[in-house]
Amino acid sequence: MDAYLVAILTVAGVYVVLALALNLQFGLTGLINFGVVGFFGIGAYASGIATETLGLPFVGGLMVAILAGGVTGVGVALLSLRLSGDFLAIVTLGFAETARLVFNNEDWLTGGPRGFIIRTRPVMSGLSRDVTAWAVLGLVAAAALITFLVLRRLADAPYGRILRAIREDDLVPSTLGKNVFVYRLQVFVVGSAAMAAAGSLYAHYVQTITPDNFTTPVAILVWMAVIVGGAGNMLGSVLGALLVTVLYEGSRFVTAGISVLDAEQISALRFILIGTVLILTIRFRPMGILPESQRRASASVPPTTP
Amino acid sequence: MSVPLLLADGLSKRFSGATAVDAVSFVVESGQIVGLIGPNGAGKTTLFNLLSGVLRPDSGRLIIRDRDVTGLPPHRLARLGLVRTFQLARELDRLTVLENVLLAARHHAGERLLGALCRPRATAADEGRLVARAREVLSLVSLSAHESKPAAALSGGQKKLLELARCLMAEADIILLDEIAAGVAPHLVEKIGQLVIRLNRDHGKTFVIIEHNIGFIRSLASRVVVMASGRVLAEGSFTHVAANRTVIESYLGQAA
Ligand SMILES: Nc1ncnc2c1ncn2[C@@H]1O[C@H](COP(=O)(O)OP(=O)(O)O)[C@@H](O)[C@H]1O
Ligand SMILES: [Mg+2]
């Protein structure tokens, strides 16, 4: 059971990074990215190819993943030119599907449906199985913490104020001299790079990746995490991701006891469970468990008037 | 003769057949307060959209200080010193009143990605200085008491004042006000008028003001441009245009 807990928390940590990145893009800036899973997958494969095919160490793989995610982010962003609402949603959706087809069909590079085996571990070798598992969890938790601290800093800074303004009504910051396109581009690229970093961590944790690891259900969980946690609130995304993964992974054990159902029914049941949580949250806390806070940097400047 | 601050040269804009702005030309000299009047649907707001880069003209040119700025996006025009308010106030609901004003600040280290991440001291220093200035601006428009409320909580008139506050924060030279007094309590309208005069006289700000309140225009504008059906009908001093027969007809014919 201890090993299961470590496993669940490690996956949860990866989802925390994904949810934080999506929260930067959607929660703060209002960018609808339905291609989360595409960036996640590109990071995973890029990191795997860098370490296994090119022989780089894990850190090199992580860097290649971040770079690949960022560059792909620029490409997708420029494709949907002004990054405006519905168009971005459609382009990112198409991008995720294209990425999955590439993972599936370019066998020479990705191993295709048979999967891609990754032997490079993100922690030093020669440790016992248990210790390695804990060390990987520690690494993922550290990555999640760093992502949280960096993105919260952005959100609380005047930079984050402009992102929220863009989300509310982009014409206003634009007529006040802010280059809205540049902000959207930066946010999209930073978020995509973080999603790819999550992919790298995930790949070196699970050690075998297949195109099936990068399908729509992953993106749905990440979106639910952001919305349940509270869009616009970074701590909310951490909480949402933990809640959603613990429920989803944890329900594996509960549903495993129900022997009358087959695997597919059980998988559906787990999504029904998560969906119920989402509906209840929206019903009773429409802004999420932790709504976007009002307390920000500007409010901490004391009044000058007596 | 100095170069005009703003020059519109034959600006036109069509919306699916209907011409909202039809070859409009006029000049705004630095330090002027120009009133822009005309019946509803005359094309005044559309003209502001062309002047502020929100819409691209189908034809014509826009010149600011001798520089052709036709087709530049709004943020570039704002950086050249031209800002505007919106006829239907566009407050940012989930930002506080203070944040709405701070958004208009220029030269803020914390508004850059790397500044926000790597230069906490410069960010805090700029924020402190700009918060102080934003509070001054808020007190000018009598919104100080509301600074930490979400902008959604303001009344319609207060939202108009917030629009004005953002323009003042932006350190612009040319300020376009679109029906800024509509829906604002009378004593505040008077206050806005005094503010415009003071900013114009003491700080050399140039204004173009769309307003239906003729008394407001009469007391402020040194020059009036009258539009009807997308065209400039007349321009000159208030008394000059007020005596113009076609102006009286088009205005009273539709507005009354
Ligand atoms: N975005 C738009 N699309 C189509 N027609 C528009 C649009 N904006 C304005 N118009 C039309 O252009 C004309 C001028 O409108 P407007 O500039 O708002 O006039 P005013 O501000 O003088 O009342 C009106 O007939 C209006 O219906
Ligand atoms: Mg109008």
Side-chain angles (χ1 to χ4, degrees), chain A residues 159 161 169 177-178 183 296, chain B residues 90 99 103 105 110-111 127:
Chain A
Y159 187 85
R161 182 161 66 220
D169 183 349
K178 317 299 173 194
Y183 281 99
R296 282 185 288 265
Chain B
R90 299 182 86 117
E99 286 180 313
L103 191 69
E111 287 187 352
E127 186 76 353

Side-chain angles (χ1 to χ4, degrees), chain B residues 20 39 44 113 130 143 173 191 228 239:
Chain B
K44 307 180 298 294
L113 181 62
L130 292 164
L143 285 177
D173 309 318
K191 194 159 174 171
T239 39

Side-chain angles (χ1 to χ4, degrees), chain B:
Chain B
M1 180 74 214
S2 63
V3 268
L5 185 56
L6 184 121
L7 187 150
D9 179 18
L11 289 177
S12 295
K13 184 72 191 175
R14 278 179 296 280
F15 293 114
S16 53
T19 305
V21 171
D22 190 1
V24 166
S25 298
F26 69 98
V27 168
V28 179
E29 303 285 351
S30 181
Q32 279 185 333
I33 300 178
V34 176
L36 180 58
I37 62 173
N40 279 325
K44 307 180 298 294
T45 297
T46 305
L47 180 60
F48 267 20
N49 285 338
L50 296 176
L51 297 179
S52 59
V54 171
L55 292 176
R56 284 177 76 106
D58 295 319
S59 58
R61 291 183 313 152
L62 177 65
I63 315 274
I64 293 181
R65 289 190 205 87
D66 239 359
R67 174 165 170 205
D68 191 334
V69 296
T70 317
L72 286 190
H75 71 269
R76 294 281 301 279
L77 291 169
R79 287 180 198 169
L80 288 171
L82 182 148
V83 294
R84 52 96 47 99
T85 65
F86 293 93
Q87 180 175 349
L88 295 173
R90 299 182 86 117
E91 79 291 348
L92 303 163
D93 281 338
R94 289 166 66 196
L95 272 64
T96 65
V97 169
L98 183 64
E99 286 180 313
N100 265 267
V101 177
L102 278 170
L103 191 69
R106 302 183 63 184
H107 314 298
H108 194 321
E111 287 187 352
R112 295 168 177 276
L113 181 62
L114 291 179
L117 286 179
C118 311
R119 300 179 58 207
R121 297 180 66 175
T123 296
D126 280 358
E127 186 76 353
R129 173 174 61 83
L130 292 164
V131 165
R133 233 180 72 75
R135 286 190 170 129
E136 277 171 37
V137 167
L138 280 174
S139 85
L140 284 179
V141 297
S142 311
L143 285 177
S144 295
H146 307 285
E147 73 163 51
S148 38
K149 286 186 191 164
L154 296 181
S155 72
Q158 287 169 333
K159 287 175 182 174
K160 286 296 189 63
L161 294 171
L162 183 59
E163 290 261 332
L164 180 61
R166 284 199 300 229
C167 284
L168 302 185
M169 186 73 189
E171 300 175 58
D173 309 318
I174 316 170
I175 300 175
L176 313 179
L177 303 178
D178 195 347
E179 303 199 19
I180 193 74
V184 177
H187 71 280
L188 285 175
V189 172
E190 201 171 306
K191 194 159 174 171
I192 293 175
Q194 290 162 0
L195 195 58
V196 167
I197 289 174
R198 221 182 73 210
L199 288 165
N200 173 256
R201 198 185 50 209
D202 301 346
H203 301 275
K205 305 274 186 198
T206 304
F207 288 87
V208 182
I209 303 177
I210 297 176
E211 195 47 69
H212 284 301
N213 180 340
I214 291 298
F216 190 75
I217 290 289
R218 188 213 304 265
S219 65
L220 292 180
S222 50
R223 228 178 87 229
V224 176
V225 176
V226 187
M227 277 182 79
S229 313
R231 292 169 175 275
V232 173
L233 208 61
E235 63 172 296
S237 69
F238 187 88
T239 39
H240 173 80
V241 295
N244 185 316
R245 276 205 72 80
T246 44
V247 170
I248 297 168
E249 277 162 16
S250 88
Y251 222 87
L252 298 182
Q254 293 184 41

